[in-house]
Amino acid sequence: DAKTTQPPSMDCAEGRAANLPCNHSTISGNEYVYWYRQIHSQGPQYIIHGLKNNETNEMASLIITEDRKSSTLILPHATLRDTAVYYCIVWDYGQNFVFGPGTRLSVLP
Amino acid sequence: DTGVSQDPRHKITKRGQNVTFRCDPISEHNRLYWYRQTLGQGPEFLTYFQNEAQLEKSRLLSDRFSAERPKGSFSTLEIQRTEQGDSAMYLCASSFIQGAGELFFGEGSRLTVL
């Protein structure tokens, strides 16, 4: 079973920041937080991951709370091409990736 | 194209027939994963290989399913005596051991069992 909880769907206006929350209250000290997204009819795509510190790359930013029980993926300027299902996953070496149902993000013009 | 490739992209078969899917991972990757995805659900883990060794199998992988990765390169997933419930997208992914959290997925093979 997935160790994360995400809202089933969210809307965001084009050009605005999309903030996707994820709860992982049972995360253990060695587990990373990973985010993937899946655009319709394609395989999932890696976005970003983190352990304790906030992370940023060319696609997104990841904010992890100090207690690590939740995180937020931020797409700073959402475009229509960011419409996808976003998956938050906690993972450690030796585990396999368990995908939950994710959050369906709709970016609206 | 140096990404993960899967073949065929689409397969329609009659119940009871056998089907085989092939996955060619990124060449330097030593881990290879198979997932199954049905409409509206996230991908479900089936099995994974490290080089040629199959290290873990999900309980979803019934006796009718078999996966191989000879020589640690490409992999095949065979489904025998297909059932309508096998209709799904079968996704393959690969990764380095060192960067094992970053999976690179193929486009998937969509199976429809009539």
Side-chain angles (χ1 to χ4, degrees), chain A residues 35-84:
Chain A
W35 283 82
Y36 281 75
R37 74 179 182 184
Q38 188 171 24
I39 296 171
H40 183 62
S41 298
Q42 297 183 17
Q45 176 192 22
Y46 165 82
I47 301 174
I48 198 168
H49 75 278
L51 184 62
K52 297 179 181 178
N53 299 323
N54 299 335
E55 302 288 341
T56 296
N57 63 20
E58 65 277 5
M59 290 182 68
S61 295
L62 174 61
I63 308 298
I64 302 174
T65 58
E66 192 169 345
D67 64 7
R68 302 212 320 127
K69 291 186 177 181
S70 66
S71 60
T72 301
L73 179 75
I74 301 172
L75 307 178
H77 305 287
T79 71
L80 299 178
R81 288 178 292 182
D82 292 322
T83 292

Side-chain angles (χ1 to χ4, degrees), chain B residues 48-105:
Chain B
Y48 90 92
F49 294 82
Q50 185 163 301
N51 300 314
E52 65 274 10
Q54 189 173 17
L55 295 189
E56 187 171 347
K57 293 193 292 186
S58 163
R59 60 181 181 272
L60 294 175
L61 214 64
S62 75
D63 291 346
R64 296 184 298 105
F65 288 70
S66 63
E68 295 182 344
R69 192 184 182 197
K71 302 179 183 178
S73 56
F74 71 92
S75 176
T76 59
L77 177 69
E78 181 183 16
I79 308 174
Q80 296 181 327
R81 305 181 303 282
T82 52
E83 302 173 355
Q84 288 184 324
D86 297 331
S87 294
M89 176 75 82
Y90 290 85
L91 292 162
C92 176
S94 67
S95 73
F96 285 111
I97 292 177
Q98 291 79 3
E102 187 173 342
L103 272 59
F104 292 80
F105 281 85

